[in-house]
Amino acid sequence: MISVFGSANMDLVAYTAVVPGRGETVTGHAFRTIPGGKGANQAVAAARAGAATCFVGAVGDDAFGPVMRDTLAGAGVDVSRLRVVPGSSGIAHIVVDDDGGNSIIVIPGANGTITAPSDEDLAVIDRSDALLLQLELPMEAVVAAARRARVPVVLTPAPVQDLPRELLGAVDLIVPNEHEAAAITGLADPEEALKALLDLVPEAVITLGAEGALYGARTGRPLRVPAVPVRAVDTTAAGDTFVGALAVARAEGRPQEQALRFAATAAALSVQRPGASTSMPTRPEIEAALA
């Protein structure tokens, strides 16, 4: 089982030819309301990739809350630890251009009310094969979950920010994209950034978009896995798809290169569809693409 302690947001997505600059107005050609949030996305990705998955988080008592709960449950995610709190659910305003690139503003809402996992949350987490964390919850909550969990901890350091030493000391695998890796380490070259990350945590994967992914551990040689060549429609949640699928493959005991290829294939399938949770592939789709 995979446990995810993280955010649930409603994504308000505008599609336009070019993302507007400051002070600029452009005309879009479509708008969608899609359940997302990095935590919820990773939970859906893991469930669709074939794992029993539990999501620990919060939604508001607004109209978006039930929609996000139903979306998670509909993907097969256990939502028994999804709490409802007064006020707004988390919101993400997303603009997607015709090349599939995006810019995002996240408003925490209910996610900001979580300060730590409860004992009941931890009881579920500690029965799982891995705990997935991101940084859309308050840092104190992320640190508390990482330090108190008794299972391998996988951290997606996004939105990128300073990482407390007590958090890094509890993380087993960190999965930044190349921009996040550069921000954390101060090194633009991914191979050098990987070396620096391994001074902080035992294992790291840097996702490189169309260039694939770079994996390293404190023992052994780095491993680079190429991306699956596709035409991207919307890259929203590609990283979350990668992490969810990677967690599933590792929990199943796949060799590291096979696990990375499984994750890269899942991410490649997701960018060919619009949206976040709506774009994530199922286990049969991933296996068919691998074959």
Side-chain angles (χ1 to χ4, degrees):
M1 181 174 80
I2 304 298
S3 291
V4 183
F5 181 65
S7 59
N9 296 324
M10 183 59 76
D11 294 347
L12 309 180
V13 189
Y15 297 89
T16 181
V18 180
V19 174
R22 184 174 181 178
E24 181 183 10
T25 300
V26 300
T27 299
H29 51 72
F31 173 80
R32 301 183 70 188
T33 303
I34 305 169
K38 296 194 73 63
N41 287 343
Q42 291 183 7
V44 170
R48 288 189 176 165
T53 306
C54 181
F55 178 71
V56 183
V59 294
D61 60 0
D62 57 2
F64 291 144
V67 177
M68 289 189 282
R69 177 183 291 273
D70 291 346
T71 298
L72 285 161
V77 177
D78 178 355
V79 293
S80 61
R81 304 310 308 160
L82 178 61
R83 39 180 80 63
V84 179
V85 300
S88 171
S89 296
I91 299 295
H93 288 256
I94 303 175
V95 180
V96 179
D97 64 30
D98 283 352
D99 292 325
N102 62 67
S103 60
I104 305 173
I105 301 172
V106 176
I107 303 163
N111 300 307
T113 68
I114 301 176
T115 57
S118 68
D119 289 342
E120 292 80 6
D121 296 335
L122 288 166
V124 172
I125 289 168
D126 288 343
R127 293 196 300 270
S128 63
D129 296 292
L131 170 63
L132 308 189
L133 298 173
Q134 318 79 36
L135 299 179
E136 288 183 345
L137 297 183
M139 183 61 77
E140 63 181 308
V142 178
V143 172
R147 295 188 66 183
R148 296 179 65 187
R150 299 293 179 263
V151 297
V153 174
V154 180
L155 174 66
T156 302
V160 69
Q161 54 192 281
D162 290 337
L163 301 176
R165 186 172 301 174
E166 60 266 35
L167 173 59
L168 291 170
V171 169
D172 297 282
L173 169 66
I174 191 168
V175 191
N177 63 27
E178 57 187 315
H179 307 294
E180 293 153 359
I184 293 167
T185 65
L187 299 167
D189 179 74
E191 293 186 0
E192 294 302 314
L194 181 68
K195 294 176 185 177
L197 288 172
L198 294 175
D199 289 334
L200 305 174
V201 298
E203 292 182 273
V205 176
I206 301 177
T207 58
L208 304 171
E211 299 301 315
L214 184 63
Y215 166 82
R218 287 176 176 169
T219 58
R221 299 175 58 122
L223 174 66
R224 184 183 287 266
V225 172
V228 179
V230 296
R231 182 185 180 281
V233 172
D234 183 354
T235 59
T236 305
D240 295 329
T241 304
F242 183 96
V243 172
L246 179 64
V248 173
R250 284 167 62 97
E252 293 174 350
R254 298 191 184 212
Q256 191 59 52
E257 184 172 359
Q258 290 184 23
L260 289 166
R261 290 186 183 279
F262 184 88
T265 300
L269 290 169
S270 76
V271 302
Q272 297 177 71
R273 306 165 179 169
S277 60
T278 53
S279 72
M280 295 171 178
T282 63
R283 176 63 169 254
E285 289 173 325
I286 300 170
E287 296 287 8
L290 280 169

